[in-house]
Amino acid sequence: VYAAVFPALFSPIEQGQSGETLLADTDASCFYHPGKKAKVICEGCGRFLCSLCDVEISQQHLCPACIESGKKKGGLSALSTRRTLHDDLAISLALLPLLIPFLGWLCTIATAPLAIWISIRHWKTPCSIVPRSHIRYVLAIAFGLLQLIGWMIVLILIVKRK
Ligand SMILES: [Zn+2]
Ligand SMILES: [Zn+2]
């Protein structure tokens, strides 16, 4: 068995270049430029890239096609142009229903678990660009738990009365 490892796998990464011209037949060439020498491998699709096609985003080497598809799918967090403030959403879900007597209180059976779930699910999601504490998540979880305890007491009372 003969295994040939492409030198591009181990060569140091050079940036801002137009790509080295392929000299020997044994060298791997860029997927997009057959005449240029491969420097890196795209971490998205595994294609060989020359230094012109190599784009480094948050320590990831990607080809233009992967960046384009990442933009469409929203998978590249470094390219995102908007962020959802999940902590605001969680605390709103935990508190706003309480403002509407009866109907809102009834809604808490659904909104309280949702507030807790959002808080835990997005605890580590990058929130705002400016530093922000987790106090809203903590409060949302606390109020959500209190509401659930309230519901449990109500349900126990209903069951006992029967
Ligand atoms: Zn790619
Ligand atoms: Zn190229």
Side-chain angles (χ1 to χ4, degrees), residues 1-5:
V1 178
Y2 174 73
V5 179

Side-chain angles (χ1 to χ4, degrees), residues 5-6 42-43 51 60 85 97 99-100 102 109 120 127-128 157:
V5 179
F6 289 102
C42 171
E43 285 170 43
S51 43
Q60 254 192 312
L85 296 174
L99 298 177
I100 312 155
F102 200 70
I109 199 159
I120 295 166
C127 200
S128 171
L157 285 177

Side-chain angles (χ1 to χ4, degrees), residues 41-47 60-63 66:
I41 292 170
C42 171
E43 285 170 43
C45 60
R47 285 167 179 163
Q60 254 192 312
H61 292 275
L62 296 167
C63 72
C66 282

